Amino acid sequence: MVVVVNGRDEVVDEAATVGDLLRRFELAPVRVAVEINRDLLSRKQFDATALHDGDRVEIVTFVGGG
């Protein structure tokens, strides 16, 4: 199936979760915010939230610095 991640089409497995997507991009859950179809998810929802064909996912990474 295809989901849109930060404006780009990505092909993912039918049973993929948000957690699977973060692992695919090698992103640590504690350093990102994730929104699906404009709904913000809490970190504890990442592995339990299934992706569906056509979902729009926005992933924002936190960067430290000063």
Side-chain angles (χ1 to χ4, degrees):
M1 76 179 155
V2 177
V3 296
V4 180
V5 180
N6 293 357
R8 295 181 49 195
D9 288 351
E10 295 287 338
V11 176
V12 297
D13 292 334
E14 291 290 327
T17 66
V18 171
D20 295 330
L21 191 62
L22 294 178
R23 286 185 283 280
R24 175 180 176 168
F25 291 116
E26 298 180 1
L27 296 170
V30 297
R31 302 193 62 84
V32 299
V34 179
E35 182 181 275
I36 295 183
N37 303 321
R38 297 187 174 209
D39 290 324
L40 186 62
L41 298 178
S42 69
R43 285 186 195 102
K44 60 185 168 187
Q45 293 176 292
F46 291 171
D47 284 324
T49 302
L51 295 170
H52 301 95
D53 193 46
D55 276 348
R56 299 189 66 80
V57 181
E58 294 295 325
I59 302 172
V60 178
T61 57
F62 300 119
V63 179

